[in-house]
């Protein structure tokens, strides 16, 4: 897509003289390898870490690995994000229906239709972003602008998702959670209708709920996979081809002390009927497995 060439019988890229519409492909083997690394880093790799500094270090590592003479650093902000990979929705239906076990048959309310529309717009913007070849700083700026537009489209869906996870995290009685989710649906309708005061209230409530029982007292930062990476989870045969990670270990009996009682109860949603008190690493395994395409690996 970014170079003129053809694939030979052994799968190697060969340079050609036909450069119409393409950037000429260097005949230097190392330069071609660098180009391949840049394309992979920009279009194929995704990363998430709870620590924002770790995300920045990942960008730096990829930038240095793909550094090419006469070219700016690649744009990676759209694919490397910070958040708690265990805490958040992993199915857009959960958000549209405000139900951690969506039925898929509910008639969509105003906020549900708006969320789906916003995600579709973000998909288009992210698709445009991924097609831009990076030749100079202007290309990077164009990608950053598209990424900002995409994030803007998904800001309210992300806020409503935070509200949902906050309720599930904060309320341990199903009846109370149901009442609050009904109220959340009403507020979500009002927020998408343009009520700024309701939007502010949603943010305040979600911030409070997500901080409940947190050992450090700081509001948790959920990561909503289908909102952050919609092209991965809203395509046919959805999910990742592979997940690579180094998840933390913590004995099952120690999770509550490290992350809070409410968080430990949240993990029941991820454990998928796994019995006993599994190590924290098991929850990362289960989450990874749930995000893979058929025949994927982690």
């Amino acid at each position: 897509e970014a170079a003129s060439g053809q694939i030979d019988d052994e799968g190697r890229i060969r340079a050609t003289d036909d450069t119409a519409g393409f950037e000429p492909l260097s005949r230097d083997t190392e330069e071609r390898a660098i180009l391949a690394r840049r394309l992979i880093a920009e279009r194929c790799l995704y990363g998430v870490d709870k620590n924002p500094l770790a995300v920045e270090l990942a960008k730096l590592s990829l930038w240095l690995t793909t550094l090419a003479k006469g070219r700016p650093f690649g744009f990676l902000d759209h694919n490397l994000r910070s958040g708690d990979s265990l805490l958040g929705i992993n199915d857009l239906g959960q958000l549209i229906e405000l139900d951690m076990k969506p039925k898929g048959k509910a008639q969509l309310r105003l906020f549900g239709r708006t969320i789906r529309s916003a995600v579709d717009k973000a998909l288009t913007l992210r698709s445009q972003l991924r097609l831009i070849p990076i030749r100079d700083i202007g290309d990077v700026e164009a990608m950053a602008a598209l990424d900002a537009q995409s994030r803007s489209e998904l800001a309210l869906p992300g806020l409503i998702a935070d509200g949902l996870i906050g309720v599930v995290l904060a309320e341990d009685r199903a009846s109370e959670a149901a009442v609050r989710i009904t109220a959340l649906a009403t507020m979500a309708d009002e927020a998408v209708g343009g009520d700024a005061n309701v939007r502010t209230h949603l943010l305040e409530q979600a911030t409070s709920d997500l901080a409940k029982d947190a050992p450090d007292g700081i509001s948790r930062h959920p990561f909503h996979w289908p909102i952050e990476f919609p092209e991965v989870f809203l395509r046919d045969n959805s999910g990742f081809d592979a997940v690579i990670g180094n998840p933390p270990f913590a004995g099952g009996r120690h999770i509550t002390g490290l992350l809070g009682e409410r968080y430990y109860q949240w993990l029941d949603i991820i454990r998928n009927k796994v019995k006993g008190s599994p190590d924290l690493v098991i929850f990362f395994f289960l989450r990874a497995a749930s995000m893979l395409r058929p025949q994927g690996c982690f």
Side-chain angles (χ1 to χ4, degrees):
E1 291 179 302
S4 174
Q6 61 186 15
I7 306 298
D8 66 14
D9 293 338
E10 297 181 12
R12 295 173 299 192
I13 299 176
R14 299 177 64 89
T16 70
D17 294 328
D18 179 14
T19 59
F22 294 93
E23 178 182 351
L25 180 64
S26 171
R27 295 179 182 274
D28 181 85
T29 302
E30 180 57 28
E31 289 185 15
R32 287 194 233 177
I34 292 173
L35 174 60
R37 291 192 206 109
R38 287 176 69 93
L39 288 174
I40 291 169
E42 293 162 9
R43 305 185 186 191
C44 303
L45 300 184
Y46 294 79
V48 181
D49 198 282
K50 193 173 181 178
N51 185 346
L53 179 57
V55 176
E56 295 307 311
L57 290 174
K59 291 179 190 176
L60 178 60
S61 178
L62 286 172
W63 281 334
L64 294 176
T65 302
T66 61
L67 188 62
K69 183 178 179 181
R71 292 176 179 268
F73 282 135
F75 183 79
L76 303 173
D77 290 1
H78 61 306
N79 282 358
L80 298 180
R81 298 286 177 89
S82 179
D84 186 334
S85 62
L86 295 183
L87 184 65
I89 66 169
N90 65 324
D91 179 345
L92 191 63
Q94 293 171 329
L95 176 56
I96 290 175
E97 298 181 32
L98 291 184
D99 189 337
M100 295 308 297
K101 297 180 179 180
K103 312 300 187 297
K105 299 179 181 179
Q107 184 173 357
L108 298 187
R109 295 178 54 147
L110 174 61
F111 75 84
R113 297 194 300 273
T114 301
I115 287 170
R116 189 171 291 282
S117 175
V119 172
D120 287 342
K121 292 177 182 177
L123 272 169
T124 298
L125 291 167
R126 288 175 65 85
S127 177
Q128 294 172 1
L129 184 159
R130 293 162 65 84
L131 292 177
I132 297 176
I134 300 179
R135 298 187 180 93
D136 55 43
I137 193 63
D139 296 323
V140 176
E141 292 172 347
M143 296 175 80
L146 288 170
D147 183 55
Q149 291 180 49
S150 173
R151 294 194 192 210
S152 177
E153 291 288 347
L154 296 173
L156 184 54
L159 177 56
I160 297 171
D162 282 352
L164 171 62
I165 300 304
V167 170
V168 175
L169 195 69
E171 302 295 342
D172 56 1
R173 294 179 59 182
S175 58
E176 294 179 359
V179 170
R180 289 200 55 197
I181 287 175
T182 298
L184 175 62
T186 300
M187 287 191 291
D189 279 341
E190 294 171 349
V192 300
D195 192 322
N197 291 329
V198 170
R199 189 164 180 159
T200 299
H201 181 66
L202 276 173
L203 176 60
E204 293 172 346
Q205 190 62 64
T207 301
S208 175
D209 286 339
L210 291 169
K212 194 163 187 176
D213 191 38
D216 58 6
I218 299 175
S219 180
R220 301 173 177 91
H221 183 192
F223 191 84
H224 307 297
W225 292 91
I227 295 178
E228 296 285 354
F229 304 140
E231 66 275 10
V232 175
F233 293 96
L234 301 180
R235 60 177 174 169
D236 293 336
N237 191 16
S238 65
F240 291 112
D241 295 290
V243 174
I244 303 172
N246 182 25
F249 286 78
R253 291 175 295 177
H254 301 296
I255 295 175
T256 299
L258 289 171
L259 302 173
E261 179 66 31
R262 303 288 182 175
Y263 194 97
Y264 187 72
Q265 292 176 3
W266 159 266
L267 293 177
D268 284 341
I269 296 174
I270 298 176
R271 69 165 61 216
N272 193 26
K273 300 180 181 179
V274 172
K275 304 295 184 181
S277 301
D279 192 288
L280 179 61
V281 73
I282 297 301
F283 294 102
F284 283 92
F285 291 166
L286 291 170
R287 179 63 110 186
S290 72
M291 296 188 302
L292 290 174
R293 310 176 86 178
Q295 288 79 51
C297 63
F298 73 90

